[in-house]
């Protein structure tokens, strides 16, 4: 709290509307999603455009509020940072926070890898013989040495460019930092584009409705969640790029960029595991 | 809201200013909101368990008859019985015990005990809280939308096993429940990040990790379990969601999926979760035992590392919930051994509490009575856990009321007793007023007797073969079921007394002292006024 | 308003009944629950015998531990309360004690493990010599059975509804077409499900196996006493989870053979039912004479 006589360096944050607004957003997003997927009201209901089966209204409303919260919340943080609230000890706290957040993300991916390995290794318990082999009958897996290898190289390269940006910034070389970041964001976009292309080439389906099976489920959900993280990481880095251009980062204070870089490395490592196991070891 | 208007550090906003609560960034206010929320959820969860006991009082269908009673089919049919048990469990776990222990007491006392002015991320702290009402609302809504066919709500048990939770429940009720748990999970993960950062980064000068009060240790271990186990649940829930709505085959055998896979993912979360529910209680009880024995806690380091050990082993025993799924026998043998090992660190805790009391000068104030009740009842629940750990016997007891008895001894008589112990230990600190300890002790006795009468006979039912999640049972299970239901009535008197204590304290408003417990109470929160100033430790305390 | 007096009397009668017969044991009818009973159902298979005796050991161990903890608590409450001991001592360490209360539980647990693992392996390893295979499929909400080795076509086994109960049948336990197995035969049980997870559980046999769609689980039993045994679905499977019981008749080999022959003709054969009914009636008269 600015202006009060605390004799410590911790940051006592002012009261804020965002947590409450964000929770309302999360609630609306959830019922919007359920409406869209399963239908909460009939097609005749006055709120059908929001919550009937297949409607996007409720989902959009919730999503907008969540995005609004993010902009407002992180915007406030930037203001507080400028105001000098982020002292050295607060900065350490944010580092802990980011590391722990990434740790929880790692455990989220554990779930997807676990179900992939379960099927890749213990498929023989399946009663249906067509599903008890690896890969399951009718599934033609990707050749890892084409697009996947390409994507691996792209991500590894982007890992170096983001480090370049970071080091440049540490040495007050703004130009180098900006170039490094631009490269990183561009490489991230390349990765996403290639992955979309790869999906379009796949010889196995996602949904059982299209003849898919567990192979498709684990493949698309694991690589898909990874892809989503790449997109989020790219946005995160892009925001850092804009903040850098806006002069909000200095050689001394640029935790936003560091957090984005950590996140990017995490996404990178997840990909290495995907590449090694989903594409190479268990290619069938 | 602008801070320069505050002429004085401790200018506490008015109770009645809605902004104080809705926009809060104050750990004590947020803690209070969590406690109120937990009590509210406890009433609903306890009410639902009343419906269960009412239905099971006699053989045949009493409550969930599906017949028009003249007021309509008030509570629905056997499906709704399953909905009620499912929601009872989820509400008690996610919306009562966790918010009370971690959100409520954790928020209030972790910063106070380590000499910090607030949590590390005060604003994030508030979203951890406000996501809970959002999540709770979704869970409650799910009870009133179609679940299986025309029947309302999700009735597949709190473990949400597919295929019953996928193809077995085609309506939106299950989707609402999945997203409710996702949001509760996000709330807890954010809370976990907040606590770990606070504890690592904001201890007062001199408060080394080995000087931290045991409650702080217990919360630290708990939130690590949350941080590492909840995301796995989130993954499993997401798989349920996509299986239901997007045609994936994770748990659908016709597409190569395996329902047992879900159980592994669920229990990889679910077993650590049960320690999440009890560890903060261990911390609370340690403080109370030491305070009222006027002795330092016996074997502090052993106590702290026993919790670390419990937390660690808690991650490698999950499949003891799955002995009957048809696992390879060697795997079962491993899980038997690993599970039994947990009895060792837990025993260390039990015996260290007793050793703390040994040689002490014990005063039987209200919190101490709950704490001693906890130690004994938790032991009863713990040793039946060791019985269940033996897969050979679990074959007879799995999914019977023996299991129900086991986990209510550790939860409803363990975790809940610890919550009430903490409630009466810190009540005056939190609210700044005294309570009537005669009424509070009476509540203890009604709870102690009532809960034992409810749950002890369930061991007999389980041994004799009564399966759980049954809306109706063969006539030969009548006797002990009737006893169990009468126990509920005894416990209800205790609930009434709980509210009597609250109302009495609210009306009389007798000003509380900073430290009502005397020299035994040594942690930092007792050095502050009751209630503490709005912002404490503007000058950080120094620990010798 | 419930009948309080009746309730209380029933309570006292059952209390007296069970707790006097508890020591004497074996009062309960094998194969079904007994009102007011305190323990496991009587065993009729070697596995269940082992479970019962292992459980008896465990019960003693956990009772002793619990009483020990209770005794310690009572002792400190009396000896070290504020009146009895106004000045607390300040010790907070005793290495020997800490070692003891770590080591002794470890030893107890090892003691538990010694009978535990053999039991587990006995249950889970299907004997090499089996007499025949029985297949049970869980459906919402009944069981269907096959005797693949005897070419009996799949038949469904539904609970007898309350209004159709005949004298001697048990509410929520009796079924229309039960399972029949010969006494002393070693039976391999295969369990699966057609829709959601169910669980084939037979307390008197010590058998409990999940019926999981897409998987076949195996268990085995060898019933050593003739009689009728009841079990219930033990995995939540929806609306009528409480109403899909299991009934097994254990009969002499010749009765079984006759029954199988009739079943092989027609899986819902009335002749087969008659064979079992006739045998049961004869057995009941015999038992009545024995009493
Ligand atoms: C607070 C919650 C909590 C706690 C602390 C525990 C503690 C333990 N639980 Fe429990 N358990 C549940 C909550 C909890 N459980 C729930 C909710 C379920 C059911 C879920 C569902 O299916 O819905 C369950 C089910 C459950 C099962 C599965 C049963 C089945 O479905 O068939 C098993 C099996 O191993 C088990 C074992 C144990 C063990 C070994 C402990 C140990 O940690 C206990 C250790 C404590 C002691 C042993 C007592 C003190 C020690 C001493 C005094 C030392 C000396 C003792 C010895 C040498 C034995 N539990
Ligand atoms: C924390 C967990 C918890 C708690 C407290 C309880 C409390 C109770 N439970 Fe529950 N129960 C479960 C967790 C819990 N239960 C779970 C996990 C299941 C399994 C569900 C499934 O099969 O899927 C279950 C199932 C279950 C069944 C089996 C149903 C079946 O299988 O068909 C029964 C039957 O008697 C039952 C009864 C009761 C009763 C009478 C209480 C009473 O003790 C209730 C009395 C009320 C209270 C003790 C609450 C008081 C607390 C407050 C008011 C809050 C106070 C807060 C502060 C002071 C901050 N419960
Ligand atoms: Cu079938 Cu429960
Ligand atoms: Cu467990």
């Amino acid at each position: 709290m600015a202006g009060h006589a605390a004799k410590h360096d911790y940051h006592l944050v002012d009261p804020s509307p965002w947590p409450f607004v964000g929770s309302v957003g999360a609630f609306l997003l959830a019922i919007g999603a359920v409406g869209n997927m399963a239908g909460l009201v009939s097609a005749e209901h006055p709120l059908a455009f929001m919550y009937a089966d297949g409607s996007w209204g409720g989902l959009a409303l919730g999503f907008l509020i969540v995005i609004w919260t993010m902009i407002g919340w992180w915007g406030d943080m930037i203001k507080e940072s400028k105001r000098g609230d982020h002292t050295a000890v607060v900065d350490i706290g944010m580092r802990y926070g980011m590391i722990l957040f990434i740790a929880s993300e790692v455990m989220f991916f554990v779930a997807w890898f676990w179900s992939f390995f379960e099927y890749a290794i213990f498929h023989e318990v399946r009663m249906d013989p067509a599903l008890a082999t690896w890969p399951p009958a009718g599934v033609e897996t990707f050749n890892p040495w084409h697009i996947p290898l390409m994507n691996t190289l792209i991500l590894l390269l982007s890992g170096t460019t983001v480090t370049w940006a970071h080091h440049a910034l540490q040495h007050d070389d703004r130009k180098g930092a900006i170039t490094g970041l631009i490269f990183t964001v561009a490489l991230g976009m390349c990765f996403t584009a290639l992955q979309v292309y790869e999906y379009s080439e796949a010889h196995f389906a996602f949904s059982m409705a299209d003849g898919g099976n567990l192979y498709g489920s684990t493949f698309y959900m694991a690589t898909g969640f990874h892809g989503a993280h790449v997109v989020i990481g790219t946005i995160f880095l892009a925001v850092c790029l804009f903040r850098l251009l806006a002069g909000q980062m200095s050689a001394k204070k640029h935790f936003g960029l560091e957090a984005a870089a950590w996140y990017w490395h995490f996404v990178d490592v997840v990909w290495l595991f995907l590449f090694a196991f989903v594409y190479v070891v268990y290619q069938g | 809201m602008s801070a320069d208007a505050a002429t004085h550090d401790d200018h506490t906003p008015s109770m009645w200013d809605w902004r104080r609560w809705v926009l809060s960034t104050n750990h004590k206010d947020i803690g209070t909101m969590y406690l109120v929320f937990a009590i509210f959820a406890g009433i609903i969860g306890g009410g639902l368990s009343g419906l269960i006991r009412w239905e099971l009082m006699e053989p045949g269908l009493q409550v969930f008859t599906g017949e028009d009673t003249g007021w309509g089919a008030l509570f629905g049919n056997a499906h709704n019985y399953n909905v009620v048990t499912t929601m009872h469990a989820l509400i008690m776990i996610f919306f009562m015990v966790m918010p009370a222990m971690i959100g409520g007491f954790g928020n209030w006392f972790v910063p106070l005990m380590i000499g910090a002015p607030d949590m590390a991320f005060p604003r994030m702290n508030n979203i951890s809280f406000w996501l809970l009402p959002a999540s709770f609302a979704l869970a409650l809504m799910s009870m009133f939308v179609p679940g299986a066919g025309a029947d309302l709500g999700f009735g597949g048990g709190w473990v949400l096993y597919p295929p019953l939770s996928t193809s077995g429940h085609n309506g939106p009720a299950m989707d609402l429940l999945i997203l409710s748990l996702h949001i509760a999970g996000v709330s807890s993960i954010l809370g976990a990040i907040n606590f770990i950062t606070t504890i690592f980064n904001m201890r007062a000068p001199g408060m080394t990790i080995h000087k931290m009060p045991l409650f702080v240790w217990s919360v630290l271990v708990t939130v690590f379990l949350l941080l590492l186990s909840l995301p796995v649940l989130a993954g499993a829930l997401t798989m349920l969601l996509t299986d239901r709505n997007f045609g994936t085959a994770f748990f659908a055998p016709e597409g190569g999926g395996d329902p047992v896979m879900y159980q592994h993912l669920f229990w990889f979360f679910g077993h650590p979760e049960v320690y999440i529910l009890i560890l903060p209680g261990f911390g609370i009880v340690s403080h109370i035992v030491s305070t009222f024995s006027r002795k330092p806690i016996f074997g502090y380091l052993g106590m702290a590392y026993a919790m670390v050990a419990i937390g660690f082993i808690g991650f490698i025993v999950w499949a003891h919930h799955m002995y009957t799924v048809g696992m390879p026998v060697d795997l079962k043998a491993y899980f038997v051994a690993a599970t039994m090992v947990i009895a060792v660190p837990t025993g260390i805790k039990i015996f260290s509490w007793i050793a703390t009391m040994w040689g002490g000068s014990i005063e039987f104030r209200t919190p101490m009575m709950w704490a001693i009740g906890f130690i004994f009842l938790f032991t009863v629940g713990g040793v039946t856990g060791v019985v269940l750990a033996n897969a050979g016997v679990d074959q007879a007891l799995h999914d019977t009321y023996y299991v129900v008895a086991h986990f209510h001894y550790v939860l409803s008589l363990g975790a809940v007793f610890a919550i009430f112990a903490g409630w009466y230990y810190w009540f005056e600190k939190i609210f700044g007023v005294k309570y009537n300890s005669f009424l509070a002790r009476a509540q203890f006795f009604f709870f102690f007797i009532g809960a034992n009468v409810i749950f002890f006979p369930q061991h007999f039912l389980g041994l004799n073969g009564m399966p759980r999640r049954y809306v109706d049972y063969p006539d030969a299970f009548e006797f002990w079921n009737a006893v169990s239901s009468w126990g509920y009535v005894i416990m209800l008197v205790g609930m009434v007394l709980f509210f009597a204590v609250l109302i009495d304290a609210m009306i009389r408003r007798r000003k509380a002292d900073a430290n009502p417990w005397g020299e035994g109470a040594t942690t930092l929160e007792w050095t502050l006024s009751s209630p503490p100033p709005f912002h404490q430790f503007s000058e950080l305390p120094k620990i010798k | 308003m419930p009948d309080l007096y009746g309730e209380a009397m029933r309570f006292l009668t059952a209390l007296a009944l069970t707790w006097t017969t508890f020591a004497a044991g074996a009062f309960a009818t094998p194969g079904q629950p007994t009102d007011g009973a305190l323990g496991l159902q009587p065993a009729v298979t070697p596995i269940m015998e082992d479970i019962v005796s292992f459980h008896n050991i465990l019960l003693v161990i956990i009772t002793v531990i619990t009483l020990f903890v209770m005794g310690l608590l009572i002792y400190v409450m009396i000896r070290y309360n504020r009146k009895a001991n106004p000045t607390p001592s300040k010790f907070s360490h005793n290495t020997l004690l800490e070692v003891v209360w770590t080591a002794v539980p470890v030893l107890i647990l090892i003691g538990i493990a010694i009978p535990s693992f053999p039991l587990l392996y006995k249950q889970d390893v299907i004997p090499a010599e089996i007499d025949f295979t029985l297949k049970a499929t869980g459906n919402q909400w009944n069981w269907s059975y096959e005797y693949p080795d005897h070419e009996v076509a799949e038949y469904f086994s539904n609970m007898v509804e309350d209004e159709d109960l005949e004298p001697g049948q048990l509410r929520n336990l009796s079924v229309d077409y039960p399972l029949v197995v010969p006494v002393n035969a070693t039976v391999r049980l295969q369990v699966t499900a057609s829709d959601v997870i169910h669980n084939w559980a037979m307390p008197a046999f010590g058998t409990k196996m999940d019926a999981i769609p897409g998987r076949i689980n195996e268990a085995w039993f060898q019933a050593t006493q003739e009689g009728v045994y009841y079990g219930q679905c033990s995995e939540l499977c929806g609306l009528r989870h409480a109403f899909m019981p299991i009934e097994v008749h254990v009969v002499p080999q010749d009765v079984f053979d006759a029954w199988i022959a009739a079943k092989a003709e027609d899986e819902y054969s009335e002749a087969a039912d008659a064979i079992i009914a006739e045998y049961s009636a004869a057995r009941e008269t015999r038992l009545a004479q024995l009493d």
Side-chain angles (χ1 to χ4, degrees), chain B residues 258 330 361-362 390 398 470, chain C residues 80 82 116 121 208 215 233:
Chain B
D258 186 358
D330 295 332
S361 180
I362 303 170
N390 292 280
H398 174 67
Y470 264 32
Chain C
Y80 297 111
R82 183 79 26 116
S116 181
Y121 280 82
K208 184 171 283 157
R215 277 188 175 225
C233 177

Side-chain angles (χ1 to χ4, degrees), chain B residues 342-362:
Chain B
I342 301 198
V344 177
T346 319
I348 293 179
K349 298 209 66 85
I350 301 273
F351 296 123
S352 299
W353 285 321
I354 297 178
T356 307
M357 292 161 71
W358 197 283
S361 180
I362 303 170

Side-chain angles (χ1 to χ4, degrees), chain A residues 80-151:
Chain A
E80 287 154 8
S81 169
K82 274 197 203 144
R83 202 164 69 191
D85 286 341
H86 293 176
T87 57
V89 66
V90 174
D91 198 60
I92 295 176
M94 288 195 291
R95 279 157 210 275
Y96 274 120
M98 192 66 200
I99 291 171
L100 293 167
F101 171 68
I102 290 175
S104 80
E105 288 264 50
V106 169
M107 292 310 289
F108 182 70
F109 276 95
V110 164
W112 304 100
F113 276 101
W114 192 336
S115 53
F116 176 81
F117 283 133
E118 197 273 339
Y119 195 27
I121 301 173
F122 301 110
H123 45 269
E124 75 283 359
V125 301
R126 271 69 183 175
M127 255 159 47
D128 182 346
L131 296 164
T133 58
W134 187 261
V139 169
E140 199 184 310
T141 58
F142 284 110
N143 180 343
W145 310 117
H146 290 168
I147 297 177
L149 177 65
M150 186 74 184
N151 263 344

Side-chain angles (χ1 to χ4, degrees), chain B residues 470, chain C residues 139 141 143 197-199 233-238 241-242 244:
Chain B
Y470 264 32
Chain C
N139 315 297
W141 287 277
W143 289 95
I197 305 177
H198 304 262
N199 179 306
C233 177
S234 296
E235 182 61 61
L236 178 55
C237 54
H241 164 55
M244 48 181 292

Side-chain angles (χ1 to χ4, degrees), chain B residues 274-321:
Chain B
V274 307
Y275 293 112
I276 288 164
L277 298 170
I278 203 69
L279 282 169
F282 286 173
I284 294 170
V285 167
S286 296
H287 286 232
I288 293 174
V289 166
S290 150
T291 299
F292 296 101
S293 305
R294 297 219 173 155
K295 257 183 81 211
I297 195 81
F298 183 93
Y300 166 86
L301 275 186
M303 287 294 244
Y305 284 97
M307 289 192 283
V308 175
I310 292 172
F312 179 77
I313 305 170
F315 271 107
I316 53 170
V317 300
W318 72 90
H320 64 218
H321 296 273

Side-chain angles (χ1 to χ4, degrees), chain A residues 138-179:
Chain A
V139 169
E140 199 184 310
T141 58
F142 284 110
N143 180 343
W145 310 117
H146 290 168
I147 297 177
L149 177 65
M150 186 74 184
N151 263 344
T152 308
L153 296 176
I154 289 176
L155 274 194
L156 286 176
L157 188 58
S158 75
T160 59
T161 56
V162 80
T163 309
W164 165 21
H166 182 209
H167 276 253
L169 188 58
Q170 277 175 327
H171 294 103
D172 230 351
D173 168 14
R174 277 175 46 84
K175 226 166 155 202
I178 291 169
T179 332

Side-chain angles (χ1 to χ4, degrees), chain B residues 258 294-295 299 324-325 330 332 359-363 390 392 396 398-399 464 470 472-473 475-476 479-480, chain C residues 11 34-37 39 41 80 82 85 89-90 92 116 121 123-124 171 208 210 215 217 233-235 239 241:
Chain B
D258 186 358
R294 297 219 173 155
K295 257 183 81 211
T324 61
V325 299
D330 295 332
K332 271 194 196 177
S361 180
I362 303 170
E363 208 180 353
N390 292 280
H398 174 67
D399 258 327
N464 215 233
Y470 264 32
D472 183 18
Y473 45 83
D475 302 342
F479 176 68
W480 290 123
Chain C
F11 185 99
T34 309
D35 206 9
Q41 289 183 22
Y80 297 111
R82 183 79 26 116
N85 191 33
S89 56
K90 289 285 169 205
S92 65
S116 181
Y121 280 82
Q123 280 169 341
D124 272 39
R171 204 181 65 86
K208 184 171 283 157
D210 279 353
R215 277 188 175 225
N217 279 335
C233 177
S234 296
E235 182 61 61
L239 180 73
H241 164 55

